[in-house]
Amino acid sequence: MVEHADIRVVHRGGSKINFRAPVISDDSRLLLCASGECVKVYSTSTEECVHHLRAHTDVVTGVVLRPSNHLQVYSCSMDGTIRLWDFTDAILIKTYVIGQPIYSIYASAQHNGVLFITIPMLNDKTSEMFHLVAVHLQQSTEQLVEARELSVVISHVSSNPAAIAFGRAGEYLASTKGLQLEVFFLKKQKSNRFSLKEENKKGRKNTFSCVTCHPTDDCIATGHEDGQIRLWRNFSHKKEYTYSTLHWHHTTVGSLCFTPEGTNLLSGGVESVLVQWRYNQDTQRDFLPRLGAAITHVTVSPDGTLFTTTHSDNKITIIRSGAKVSAVIQGLVKGESIETDLLIDPRSKALVMNGKPGHLQFYSLQRDKLMYNLDIVQQEYIYQSDLQQFEVVKAAFNSSGNWLATVEREQKDAELELNLKLWAFDDQTQSFVLNTTISAPHENRITALCFSPATDSQTTTVLVSSSKDGHFKAWQLAAHTEDEGPCWSCDFVGAYHGLVPSCCCFSADGSLLAVSFQEVVTVWSSASWELLTTLSQPPGDIRDLCFGQLSCSKYLLGTSTSNLLLCWNLLTCSLEWSTSMDISLLLADPLSENMAAFCSQSGYTHLFVFKPSEPRPIFSQKAVCSGKVMRAVFAPREEMLESCEESSQWLNRCQLYFLSQHMDLMTFTTKAEEDKLMDSSKQLVIDDTVAMTPFHLLLGKRRKEREEPQPAVSSPSAQRSSSSIRELLQTPAHVLPSTSYLCSMFVRSLLISVTDNREENNEAEGEMDSEKEEEDSEEEMDTRDTRPEQVSAESVSPALTKAQLRELRRLKKQDHSWLQGLLDP
Amino acid sequence: MASFKPTKIHVYPKLGEKVTQDTLYWKNYKAPIQIKQFGAVSNVAFSPVAPYNFAVTAFTRIHIYGPFSQEPIKSFTRFKDTAYSGRFRSDGQLLVAGCEDSVVRLFDVGGKTALRMFKGHTKAVHLTDFTSDRYQIVTGSDDYSCRLWDIPNATELNTYREHTDYIRCGVTSKLNRDLFITGSYDHTVKLFDVRTDKSVMTMDHEQPVESLLLYPSEGLLVSAGGRFVKVWDLLKQGQPLVSLRNHHKTVTCLCLSKNGERLLSASLDRHVKVYNTTNYKVVHNFDYPASILSLALAPYDESIVVGMTNSVLSIKHKKSPSESKDSTSQQRRRPSYRMFVKGKNYIPKQDDFLVGKQVKEHLAKHDKQLKKFNVSKALDTALESWTRRRKPEVTVAVIKELNRRGTLKNALAGRDEQELSRILNFLIGNLVDARFTLVLVTPAEMILDIYRSIIGQSPVIDRQLLRLHELLERELDYQRELLEVLGMLDTLFASSLPRNAVECSGISGLVLRFVEREQCSETEIYQ
């Protein structure tokens, strides 16, 4: 077993974007947020990710705009560095090494050259004590700067970045921890502490959850775990402080934020309602309800035109003032558990798993973007912490992607409510439409769900569900009824000696169904639903079942709780081979004979890729990640990889994605692939005046090419005709011949200029260049006029042929020169 | 910001019959007119000529009714004993009837006394009919013989003594003057040809034959006897085509609808079944209050006349097209077309700045309350009498939604006598409905929990609780019986099916759980 150096495990996509509050650039065009080990720059209008700021080697814990330069940003990370970036071009400017993990970062406009960060009091990662320190950044030309000038400002602070806020004009700092609010006056170097009682009479918790300061007034707003917001005033005196209370939230206030003018206070919490309080008018408030999930951060852009709310479901909502949601940046939602397996939608090749409660998410792996959420439960989501919600627990696609089956479950005390839903793909709306709902398909939890592979389009697909109630059921698309379309109904109920079925699997041609009943594997004919045979094995319940694909379709593989990997030959109905391995997950590559087995051993997971027909594994990697791997999927590649190395050939058609125990989506890449990726990223040159959109990527290049030759081309004709027209127009009307006479001449002159324009241009170009300098001022006006029209023409019909484009360009030239003459005589 | 998702109303499978073209056709009749007769109505026959009067044979009389009159136009009362089988000749001028006293009488429809009396039978004559040449009469009697009579001479032409039991029914061919068919209690149906002295075809019905019917083409014969209706192909030497067993008592009468597309059969089990004559499936079913002896359809299905053993004649007339349209047009009244296109057909000009109008979302009343988290009010709106009666699934859906939100208890609590009785009424009405039981058991238990302390304070509530209790007890009895039946069935299946069959214990499990739960709530009532 050799370690293959050219295959690497990498994080790919699906990173968190809701870890820290995002930052909006001064012009409100870009939004920066910490996402794993990098900072992502999004466009606020197009939701597209413009840049990745990559350099940190650990989780990025904070992003803050540089007060003195609005095009630069500081980011801090657990790796103990602060980095300064030019975020419009994604250039790393400077790195300040602190040497201790940094938990949050603050900057204030009044403190030039000073940053405030929270670091552990003891130089130890496990320490629970933090203090806020000021870092004085030296001016130096070097890239890497060792920042050693640290001075402690407040000790014993919370590591939560929402627990510290700068007050009006940076004069004081408000820090909360537990039941205590500490206000530190930076000039006087003195702090006032205010404590709240642990519990007041109604037994509510007074613990602080967040703090923010009014930008122009001496006022501190704090949020509490009981849903109250307190506005503290007069806190410069230790005894005579006052506070007023605002109460709307019913549970913890998640985030608080003042608008830049200080007229409004925004708050959000678990209710997923953004509440806008009028400052000094406590009774007035506006709501923006049903934002989708619990609000964790609220931020306002520096000019106050944009609000953003970050949600617990890995989502950033951008709200224009006027309470209208203008954009949603959605990341991959990873709930508490991935109940549905990782699936691949055969149509869009998107990764499908359960996301928001009651939804199924479609995530494009190639573009690292959430495509859409399919609402499975279709019920109003109630934001209440202890409420049992419907969850999507199982899902399955048929091989063509026309049908999607989902199972949703609600467990309430002892009652179990199950719904099996079947969704048909609608070509017109390009999404799934509910076809059949089967309530209570089984009496107990459904353990497995699978579609039979369609061998040709004519045969109807069969859905098999197995349940803990001891039955497995086959569902079939019933014939058309009179007024409704086809719908699904139960075709067969199977059981085997009252044992509980655990998994089911169809053979590659769909003729056999294997269902495991605890220790016994039963093989059924899918055409007649007859029990064909039972396969025996050493004792131990079956955990996973998998048929071989393509040339290995005569093999049935299974894993059992007695740590065995078993392979039966279905032609002889006997055990072909077995090995002793603790396999947590076994899955088959749909496009090749390969099988992947994740095997857990002493806290680590190893991967083996093998063919059922060959005893030796094709590929093995030890310690892929720590913990058990429970979910994995083979995602087919868009284009096949040309790899000649034997060890990485199994990755040619498919990519293997898996979820580690910590819910990180990871995959395997080969060296060749990485090189290719690097090349493509270098090619991507971005025009920084325009936000990056796919549309722009398509057209941007072509437009640039056009813009350059434009001035040279347009100049000669413009010059010539404008002079003649000017002459024509300046002559008094009464001395001119009749218009009918002039008109034909005028039109003819235009025609001539068109026909020989191109040849002339090419010849003239060389000499014109030199002459051009003096006319530049005039030309500039010309080109400025033409440009918008040109852009609009392109955007309307980007697919013009070359000849048409040439024609269009010619027409434009004379048109404008003529108009120019008319406009400024 | 996502919009509020309205409460999902579960679509339950429709109970009762499906609405088909046939249902619409056969439902399109007015309420029946019932006329009391002197005895059981043994025969109804329509005159083949306009205005399609019909002769009703009951006890010792034959009444002739017009198409719309409720009083008889004419009565023939000169029978010594019970009359049978009053039938019209094909020109509607003459009427023949048998009698218990074995005499066959021929009447002129305009006159009163019998024109001819045919004497020769020795026992009651149950079958009389004209042949298609209009000059002869076929009769069948309880003396096992059937005879052919000449009308002008009143003489007997021939006697056939092939049957070995009572002859109770028969038909004559409308196309061939020489053919007639008789059905007898000896289980046979015989086809006679006048030109020969013997029957030419015999079919074994295997039950005493009560009624016979020929298709207009006369290629197919339908016979009814016992619980069976059988169709025979006469062109294939009387080969049986289909045997229908849709009644659970003796079928007494058969009849065809206007164009031979539907076959109707009436039975002592009080039902009239309508069959499709292409696939012989039952497409519709009528219920009557008593056992049916006779049935006739007016030409063009204008009316259905049914005579019953309780001596009631029931006449159902078809609704006139204007009537049937009226009822539907009232519902269809909707805003005019102009209303919908108002402002929509305006084509914006190039420089116009379009201001989009937000589409207002329409929510049901209960959803509006749910959106505002007014749980009690949501339940109130869902319990409004119209919703409660007409759409109980809406009420159930709201209760389910409240339960999901964990606020059902709050919604049920704090109600006064009137409101509580309304909820209890709904529960009593729907608790045992299998579709709603699973949802409604929870609020029932909650109500008992919440209002346990006030039991005995209000007589209204107490009465309702007692009713609920009785209801549950009755339901428990039903379930117990069902379980017994299920147990019997299980043993039957287990013994009859081969080894690898799958036993279906699913249903019994469900019932058991139901019983357990009911018992729980029952004990609470006792407390």
Side-chain angles (χ1 to χ4, degrees):
Chain A
M1 307 231 169
V2 199
E3 291 280 333
H4 301 285
D6 61 331
I7 293 186
R8 238 164 44 91
V9 181
V10 290
H11 282 262
R12 181 60 57 79
S15 53
K16 260 174 130 182
I17 55 172
N18 63 347
F19 181 55
R20 288 288 136 99
V23 166
I24 306 172
S25 68
D26 258 10
D27 53 0
S28 299
R29 279 213 354 256
L30 296 172
L31 178 140
L32 294 95
C33 67
S35 162
E37 291 172 9
C38 71
V39 177
K40 283 188 177 171
V41 185
Y42 288 96
S43 158
T44 54
S45 49
T46 63
E47 311 170 12
E48 209 62 33
C49 182
V50 186
H51 296 298
H52 292 263
L53 311 183
R54 283 201 189 100
H56 285 292
T57 54
D58 207 338
V59 180
V60 177
T61 50
V63 182
V64 67
L65 281 176
R66 185 176 182 181
S68 54
N69 185 346
H70 65 87
L71 292 177
Q72 292 178 352
V73 75
Y74 289 110
S75 71
C76 68
S77 157
M78 298 291 280
D79 64 2
T81 56
I82 299 173
R83 290 173 200 258
L84 179 65
W85 307 83
D86 178 347
F87 60 86
T88 48
D89 294 327
I91 297 166
L92 177 64
I93 300 171
K94 250 175 210 163
T95 306
Y96 302 95
V97 178
I98 307 296
Q100 270 173 305
I102 306 164
Y103 285 84
S104 54
I105 186 165
Y106 309 90
S108 158
Q110 276 68 35
H111 300 83
N112 210 355
V114 180
L115 280 176
F116 298 87
I117 54 173
T118 32
I119 53 172
M121 285 170 85
L122 308 163
N123 196 356
D124 179 14
K125 262 207 169 182
T126 54
S127 147
E128 289 295 307
M129 316 273 272
F130 301 94
H131 53 192
L132 185 75
V133 295
V135 185
H136 299 273
L137 307 171
Q138 309 95 312
Q139 299 288 329
S140 82
T141 50
E142 281 172 64
Q143 263 257 313
L144 199 69
V145 185
E146 198 97 345
R148 288 278 172 237
E149 269 185 69
L150 307 181
S151 53
V152 176
V153 183
I154 319 176
S155 50
H156 296 287
V157 295
S158 160
S159 64
N160 180 7
I164 296 174
F166 272 87
R168 175 176 65 88
E171 281 178 9
Y172 54 88
L173 263 167
S175 156
T176 59
K177 195 181 186 201
L179 289 162
Q180 188 171 282
L181 169 71
E182 182 172 350
V183 183
F184 184 80
F185 296 90
L186 290 162
K187 275 201 183 130
K188 291 187 255 175
Q189 294 287 317
K190 166 194 114 162
S191 70
N192 283 350
R193 290 200 174 85
F194 309 100
S195 289
L196 289 170
K197 268 177 252 159
E198 181 128 10
E199 306 260 306
N200 60 11
K201 12 180 182 177
K202 282 181 189 168
R204 295 185 299 198
K205 284 188 212 154
N206 276 330
T207 318
F208 288 94
S209 60
C210 52
V211 65
T212 188
C213 299
H214 196 276
T216 55
D217 204 356
D218 277 333
C219 174
I220 297 172
T222 57
H224 298 263
E225 280 193 1
D226 59 354
Q228 297 206 10
I229 298 168
R230 287 193 171 87
L231 295 174
W232 303 73
R233 289 192 181 81
N234 213 10
F235 41 77
S236 52
H237 306 282
K238 192 123 200 191
K239 291 277 155 63
E240 292 150 36
Y241 71 91
T242 59
Y243 66 74
S244 59
T245 311
L246 307 174
H247 200 178
W248 182 85
H249 294 278
H250 65 73
T251 45
T252 314
V253 181
S255 185
L256 280 171
C257 189
F258 275 106
T259 51
E261 285 81 30
T263 48
N264 288 312
L265 172 66
L266 303 168
S267 71
V270 184
E271 305 88 351
S272 86
V273 180
L274 181 69
V275 188
Q276 193 171 350
W277 309 82
R278 299 280 149 74
Y279 185 64
N280 285 336
Q281 287 167 290
D282 296 347
T283 49
Q284 282 198 4
R285 60 203 172 199
D286 293 325
F287 302 104
L288 188 60
R290 288 184 289 282
L291 287 170
I295 296 174
T296 52
H297 308 285
V298 179
T299 49
V300 183
S301 71
D303 56 0
T305 55
L306 288 184
F307 308 149
T308 67
T309 54
T310 309
H311 300 266
S312 57
D313 63 349
N314 208 9
K315 178 173 84 173
I316 300 173
T317 309
I318 298 163
I319 299 156
R320 301 242 161 237
S321 51
K324 257 172 73 183
V325 174
S326 73
V328 175
I329 298 164
Q330 173 86 62
L332 185 67
V333 188
K334 282 174 278 191
E336 283 132 39
S337 60
I338 303 301
E339 299 258 11
T340 66
D341 219 340
L342 297 181
L343 299 166
I344 295 292
D345 176 15
R347 254 170 212 280
S348 59
K349 308 279 181 269
L351 180 73
V352 178
M353 55 200 256
N354 62 332
K356 289 202 290 181
H359 287 70
L360 210 58
Q361 58 182 339
F362 287 68
Y363 191 84
S364 167
L365 289 166
Q366 273 78 30
R367 291 166 51 220
D368 188 20
K369 194 165 190 267
L370 192 88
M371 288 159 67
Y372 62 95
N373 274 312
L374 183 67
D375 187 357
I376 300 292
V377 176
Q378 297 180 327
Q379 234 171 17
E380 176 74 2
Y381 183 74
I382 305 296
Y383 306 98
Q384 210 166 303
S385 43
D386 54 343
L387 208 61
Q388 283 292 327
Q389 309 279 3
F390 262 110
E391 283 173 275
V392 183
V393 288
K394 286 274 178 293
F397 284 96
N398 77 340
S399 51
S400 61
N402 284 333
W403 289 98
L404 164 69
T406 58
V407 177
E408 64 204 43
R409 184 185 70 200
E410 187 192 32
Q411 184 92 47
K412 203 170 213 178
D413 306 327
E415 283 171 48
L416 176 79
E417 210 179 321
L418 279 177
N419 281 324
L420 173 65
K421 283 181 177 169
L422 286 131
W423 307 75
F425 190 81
D426 187 11
D427 284 321
Q428 249 154 21
T429 54
Q430 289 291 307
S431 70
F432 286 93
V433 178
L434 185 60
N435 179 275
T436 312
T437 307
I438 300 158
S439 49
H442 283 280
E443 279 161 45
N444 210 330
R445 291 177 176 229
I446 289 182
T447 53
L449 193 69
C450 70
F451 271 104
S452 73
T455 42
D456 57 284
S457 58
Q458 293 306 311
T459 52
T460 52
T461 56
V462 176
L463 174 73
V464 171
S465 61
S466 66
S467 159
K468 277 191 177 166
D469 63 2
H471 298 288
F472 74 89
K473 291 188 183 179
W475 309 87
Q476 209 170 27
L477 194 62
H480 291 252
T481 49
E482 266 166 34
D483 42 346
E484 298 144 17
C487 58
W488 291 75
S489 58
C490 187
D491 185 40
F492 177 71
V493 182
Y496 186 79
H497 292 298
L499 297 175
V500 176
S502 54
C503 32
C504 53
C505 178
F506 270 101
S507 67
D509 60 350
S511 63
L512 294 179
L513 170 71
V515 184
S516 72
F517 287 91
Q518 291 170 0
E519 300 187 351
V520 188
V521 177
T522 56
V523 181
W524 305 71
S525 149
S526 66
S528 59
W529 296 119
E530 259 179 296
L531 179 60
L532 296 177
T533 183
T534 56
L535 302 170
S536 55
Q537 39 112 11
D541 288 1
I542 295 289
R543 218 190 265 155
D544 250 323
L545 264 188
C546 218
F547 270 98
Q549 301 284 329
L550 305 175
S551 65
C552 295
S553 56
K554 63 179 175 184
Y555 295 108
L556 173 65
L557 287 102
T559 61
S560 76
T561 47
S562 53
N563 295 346
L564 280 176
L565 173 63
L566 307 144
C567 177
W568 292 276
N569 188 338
L570 288 171
L571 298 179
T572 59
C573 288
S574 60
L575 200 61
E576 188 97 349
W577 52 263
S578 69
T579 55
S580 184
M581 263 180 176
D582 182 16
I583 288 175
S584 59
L585 187 69
L586 176 74
L587 74 164
D589 181 352
L591 298 179
S592 68
E593 290 99 351
N594 300 331
M595 316 274 287
F598 287 93
C599 165
S600 58
Q601 221 165 55
S602 59
Y604 282 95
T605 297
H606 312 309
L607 171 74
F608 296 97
V609 180
F610 62 95
K611 281 186 186 171
S613 53
E614 289 167 28
R616 273 187 62 81
I618 315 172
F619 171 81
S620 67
Q621 182 160 4
K622 288 209 165 168
V624 169
C625 69
S626 62
K628 259 190 180 180
V629 170
M630 292 312 286
R631 307 282 176 203
V633 73
F634 274 106
R637 283 182 194 276
E638 273 180 342
E639 48 189 281
M640 252 183 70
L641 215 61
E642 301 289 332
S643 168
C644 28
E645 272 185 74
E646 204 184 330
S647 62
S648 58
Q649 254 171 7
W650 64 279
L651 280 170
N652 279 4
R653 286 161 177 275
C654 280
Q655 240 175 326
L656 180 61
Y657 285 88
F658 65 92
L659 270 183
S660 70
Q661 207 169 29
H662 307 290
M663 295 295 218
D664 297 316
L665 189 66
M666 303 213 245
T667 186
F668 295 89
T669 55
T670 60
K671 204 154 198 183
E673 199 184 352
E674 266 175 59
D675 291 344
K676 217 163 114 191
L677 208 73
M678 285 295 281
D679 291 345
S680 65
S681 69
K682 272 176 198 156
Q683 276 176 6
L684 216 74
V685 181
I686 289 151
D687 186 355
D688 58 350
T689 57
V690 186
M692 255 274 286
T693 62
F695 187 64
H696 173 256
L697 272 179
L698 267 175
L699 289 178
K701 222 177 270 174
R702 200 187 297 170
R703 187 193 305 166
K704 233 183 244 167
E705 284 166 15
R706 193 88 40 69
E707 269 167 8
E708 282 155 20
Q710 191 69 31
V713 168
S714 65
S715 52
S717 64
Q719 206 188 0
R720 193 197 310 149
S721 49
S722 70
S723 63
S724 64
I725 289 165
R726 198 173 298 148
E727 202 180 326
L728 181 80
L729 291 174
Q730 277 173 350
T731 324
H734 62 273
V735 298
L736 278 175
S738 70
T739 22
S740 57
Y741 175 73
L742 275 177
C743 181
S744 60
M745 264 174 63
F746 176 65
V747 170
R748 208 176 299 129
S749 75
L750 290 180
L751 283 173
I752 293 158
S753 73
V754 168
T755 47
D756 52 12
N757 219 355
R758 262 192 85 76
E759 293 90 66
E760 256 178 56
N761 282 348
N762 291 342
E763 292 162 10
E765 235 174 37
E767 50 195 54
M768 284 315 287
D769 270 0
S770 54
E771 292 175 32
K772 223 176 55 157
E773 303 298 320
E774 63 224 28
E775 289 149 11
D776 250 354
S777 58
E778 205 183 307
E779 295 319 320
E780 257 175 31
M781 280 179 87
D782 259 355
T783 48
R784 211 172 301 147
D785 273 352
T786 59
R787 203 179 295 171
E789 267 211 33
Q790 188 185 350
V791 172
S792 69
E794 271 172 24
S795 57
V796 168
S797 52
L800 287 176
T801 62
K802 249 183 196 162
Q804 279 173 313
L805 272 173
R806 205 178 300 142
E807 193 78 292
L808 198 71
R809 206 180 304 160
R810 262 185 224 156
L811 278 174
K812 244 178 264 155
K813 260 174 263 155
Q814 14 156 313
D815 255 15
H816 287 286
S817 54
W818 184 72
L819 253 177
Q820 186 68 26
L822 283 179
L823 282 171
D824 40 23
Chain B
M1 183 177 66
S3 55
F4 179 82
K5 288 175 201 159
T7 314
K8 202 169 49 170
I9 312 290
H10 201 291
V11 182
Y12 293 98
K14 258 189 202 133
L15 297 178
E17 60 197 281
K18 260 194 196 139
V19 178
T20 57
Q21 216 51 35
D22 278 287
T23 340
L24 294 177
Y25 183 83
W26 294 109
K27 280 256 169 88
N28 191 21
Y29 284 89
K30 293 182 205 167
I33 301 164
Q34 302 207 323
I35 302 170
K36 185 80 180 165
Q37 302 291 327
F38 288 97
V41 182
S42 64
N43 193 43
V44 178
F46 270 91
S47 158
V49 293
Y52 308 119
N53 297 333
F54 57 94
V56 175
T57 314
F59 195 44
T60 58
R61 282 148 209 254
I62 294 178
H63 291 300
I64 293 179
Y65 290 89
F68 296 108
S69 67
Q70 296 192 25
E71 289 298 312
I73 303 172
K74 191 135 195 100
S75 297
F76 300 103
T77 53
R78 302 289 173 85
F79 291 98
K80 303 262 162 47
D81 210 331
T82 314
Y84 297 109
S85 179
R87 289 197 191 173
F88 284 100
R89 198 165 77 168
S90 57
D91 57 359
Q93 297 287 316
L94 296 179
L95 183 114
V96 69
C99 183
E100 188 70 40
D101 64 359
S102 78
V103 180
V104 178
R105 289 175 176 83
L106 182 73
F107 299 92
D108 179 9
V109 173
K112 244 185 171 356
T113 51
L115 288 178
R116 298 277 189 282
M117 308 248 277
F118 304 96
K119 289 179 185 169
H121 282 294
T122 54
K123 278 188 178 167
V125 179
H126 280 266
L127 156 70
T128 58
D129 206 353
F130 294 94
T131 57
S132 59
D133 65 357
R134 305 193 214 155
Y135 304 126
Q136 289 168 358
I137 291 170
V138 176
T139 59
S141 160
D142 286 357
D143 61 6
Y144 309 165
S145 69
C146 59
R147 292 166 202 244
L148 192 69
W149 309 82
D150 184 41
I151 298 174
N153 304 330
T155 52
E156 186 184 315
L157 295 175
N158 210 344
T159 309
Y160 303 91
R161 296 181 187 280
E162 289 191 19
H163 284 294
T164 55
D165 207 334
Y166 298 161
I167 296 166
R168 283 288 162 92
C169 60
V171 276
T172 54
S173 162
K174 300 274 185 308
L175 305 176
N176 190 330
R177 49 177 277 201
D178 297 323
L179 292 180
F180 67 95
I181 307 163
T182 55
S184 155
Y185 275 13
D186 63 2
H187 300 189
T188 58
V189 175
K190 285 181 189 284
L191 172 68
F192 293 95
D193 192 333
V194 179
R195 291 162 293 194
T196 63
D197 284 348
K198 282 191 292 182
S199 65
V200 291
M201 208 184 281
T202 305
M203 288 151 273
D204 187 7
H205 184 81
E206 294 166 341
Q207 301 280 334
V209 184
E210 295 282 353
S211 180
L212 285 176
L213 182 78
L214 265 175
Y215 270 72
S217 65
E218 304 201 337
L220 296 178
L221 172 76
V222 188
S223 65
R227 293 159 56 203
F228 295 90
V229 173
K230 292 188 178 180
V231 183
W232 312 87
D233 193 344
L234 291 181
L235 303 178
K236 281 191 186 168
Q237 279 302 309
Q239 193 182 324
L241 273 183
V242 226
S243 173
L244 308 171
R245 201 180 67 181
N246 295 94
H247 288 283
H248 55 264
K249 279 188 185 169
T250 305
V251 183
T252 52
C253 203
L254 292 170
C255 130
L256 273 178
S257 80
K258 65 174 179 192
N259 39 18
E261 280 176 359
R262 301 283 180 267
L263 172 71
L264 284 82
S265 70
S267 153
L268 293 180
D269 64 5
R270 300 185 283 123
H271 294 299
V272 172
K273 306 245 175 202
V274 183
Y275 307 86
N276 185 339
T277 51
T278 51
N279 55 9
Y280 293 102
K281 291 254 167 69
V282 175
V283 292
H284 193 69
N285 182 32
F286 298 103
D287 289 351
Y288 280 94
S291 299
I292 302 165
L293 288 180
S294 54
L295 160 79
L297 267 175
Y300 309 109
D301 300 346
E302 283 303 322
S303 53
I304 304 169
V305 183
V306 162
M308 286 169 278
T309 47
N310 63 353
S311 64
V312 168
L313 182 74
S314 155
I315 307 163
K316 279 206 266 190
H317 291 290
K318 202 174 199 168
K319 281 181 191 159
S320 55
S322 60
E323 262 179 297
S324 51
K325 218 173 248 173
D326 267 355
S327 56
T328 51
S329 67
Q330 271 178 349
Q331 297 170 341
R332 289 237 179 105
R333 200 128 183 213
R334 278 170 197 160
S336 64
Y337 176 68
R338 248 192 309 159
M339 165 78 186
F340 285 112
V341 295
K342 205 160 86 183
K344 295 254 171 76
N345 49 3
Y346 176 77
I347 301 157
K349 295 198 186 85
Q350 208 170 14
D351 303 331
D352 283 356
F353 182 72
L354 286 172
V355 182
K357 191 182 160 197
Q358 217 175 8
V359 182
K360 205 182 164 196
E361 57 174 334
H362 286 280
L363 289 175
K365 269 187 196 166
H366 57 262
D367 279 332
K368 275 184 195 158
Q369 301 293 350
L370 281 174
K371 190 178 168 189
K372 291 181 195 157
F373 292 84
N374 292 338
V375 286
S376 291
K377 274 186 191 160
L379 189 61
D380 283 342
T381 49
L383 280 168
E384 272 172 10
S385 56
W386 189 86
T387 326
R388 195 175 60 199
R389 295 215 180 90
R390 295 288 178 81
K391 291 211 183 286
E393 64 266 25
V394 173
T395 316
V396 172
V398 171
I399 289 175
K400 196 175 172 189
E401 170 72 14
L402 289 171
N403 192 23
R404 180 180 78 88
R405 294 180 172 204
T407 46
L408 184 56
K409 208 157 201 166
N410 303 4
L412 290 170
R415 293 186 176 261
D416 59 16
E417 186 184 51
Q418 199 187 346
E419 288 171 332
L420 185 61
S421 79
R422 208 161 54 150
I423 300 172
L424 281 172
N425 251 335
F426 177 76
L427 287 178
I428 289 166
N430 295 285
L431 186 60
V432 293
D433 191 331
R435 302 173 294 168
F436 306 139
T437 306
L438 279 177
V439 181
L440 292 184
V441 163
T442 326
E445 282 171 354
M446 279 182 181
I447 285 178
L448 292 178
D449 281 348
I450 299 168
Y451 297 99
R452 184 185 293 163
S453 55
I454 60 127
I455 289 177
Q457 289 180 12
S458 152
V460 182
I461 301 296
D462 287 352
R463 212 178 307 129
Q464 278 178 325
L465 285 176
L466 280 175
R467 263 180 69 198
L468 190 65
H469 180 208
E470 278 165 28
L471 188 77
L472 290 177
E473 271 198 342
R474 217 178 313 135
E475 189 64 20
L476 280 176
D477 287 342
Y478 284 145
Q479 301 287 351
R480 217 163 279 140
E481 278 170 36
L482 271 177
L483 273 180
E484 282 166 19
V485 174
L486 211 64
M488 288 184 240
L489 285 177
D490 273 352
T491 47
L492 276 179
F493 281 135
S495 59
S496 66
L497 286 181
R499 53 166 188 97
N500 60 352
V502 179
E503 70 273 31
C504 192
S505 57
I507 307 164
S508 45
L510 190 85
V511 175
L512 261 177
R513 211 170 58 200
F514 183 84
V515 170
E516 277 164 20
R517 191 177 298 167
E518 301 294 292
Q519 274 164 345
C520 287
S521 43
E522 197 187 11
T523 49
E524 273 181 30
I525 293 183
Y526 282 126
Q527 288 165 5

